[in-house]
Amino acid sequence: MAPTPQGGASHSARAALAAELPPLPADLADAVVRFGKHLDAQRGHSAHTRRAYLADVTGLLRYAVRHGARRLDDVQLVVLRGWLGEQAARGLARATLARRGAAARAFLRWAHHVGLTASDASVRLASPKVPRVLPTVLTTEAAGRMLDTARDDALAATGDDRPAVLRAWAAAELLYGSGVRVGELVAVDVHDVDVGERLVRVLGKGGKERVVPFGVPAARAVTAWLDEGRPAIASAASGPALLVGDRGGRWGQRQAREAIHRLAARAGVDDVAPHALRHSAATHLLQGGSDLRSVQEVLGHANLATTQRYTHVDAERLRAVYGQAFPRA
């Protein structure tokens, strides 16, 4: 028997596998479609979260059908545990198992609420404990070196390479200077940025809009991009997008990540993803004396507990300094 694809399998491999699986019974397939509409209308999830939840629920129901289920009421606790147990045996990460368990609970809770099941079998489903992983954070010196490198490269660039270098500078400064997510950054339109007031409007998770400040260095980078970089490569396909790709369309998340990886290498700092600049911005705000509520508003966290993890990051830094410097550590 061929090995079961792991979480790192390619999209095409997963699609091929899905095509080989038997279709769900009509009632179960209809429930998945209705749940997707519920997520759209009621939960305010991002498109990425919606796709992940629907894929997880479909996987659960296919497992249940393979084990004899024909209707939603057949999806009982033993089925849920078997489904998660099978994936744990394949070596899936705890974070992935926790998300799939959350998707199953959301689906079955909704199904019971709308009368598709007589009871909610997920009530007693335990969630795998996800170990706390502190986010990657650059020191203020390393962050400064990255941004100085982006600026110096932009000022020195000439010819056809100049727009891309100006774009990387603007992107890095905005990611760090405003703490926005990379997905929020690439969705920003020109009219969402007020360079004079140094404010950018972004659409965050759950469709929540927020206005975030950024600093003078970011304003300089954005101005240079708007004056010299964007006009050189913008096309009819650009629309109102602030950051435009080499072919004229809206710049994508993958291209933004690649640009930040290249910039980290150029600056000689540890390889980081765009999200590390967001984590670094939050940590440096707290180190500089900002209160948690203000950082929560900047980052767009719905829950203050999410923002509080940055206090743990700072505590880890202080503990390391203490251990190195204090004679009785």
Side-chain angles (χ1 to χ4, degrees), residues 131-147:
R132 181 186 294 274
V133 178
L134 294 177
T136 300
V137 173
L138 294 168
T139 64
T140 53
E141 293 79 9
R145 192 156 68 248
M146 272 190 72
L147 298 173

Side-chain angles (χ1 to χ4, degrees), residues 117-181:
T117 59
S119 62
D120 178 1
S122 71
V123 170
R124 293 191 292 128
L125 180 66
S127 179
K129 289 189 179 296
V130 180
R132 181 186 294 274
V133 178
L134 294 177
T136 300
V137 173
L138 294 168
T139 64
T140 53
E141 293 79 9
R145 192 156 68 248
M146 272 190 72
L147 298 173
D148 288 347
T149 298
R151 179 202 61 207
D152 293 345
D153 285 350
L155 294 177
T158 58
D160 294 341
D161 293 338
R162 185 163 172 77
V165 179
L166 288 171
R167 182 180 58 211
W169 180 29
E173 284 284 5
L174 282 174
L175 286 166
Y176 178 72
S178 66
V180 297
R181 302 174 179 91

Side-chain angles (χ1 to χ4, degrees), residues 24-34 61 70-72 107 116:
L24 293 175
D27 289 350
L28 298 185
D30 181 65
V32 174
V33 172
R34 290 179 59 186
L61 295 181
R70 292 295 176 267
R71 53 197 183 95
L72 276 183
F107 172 67
L116 295 180

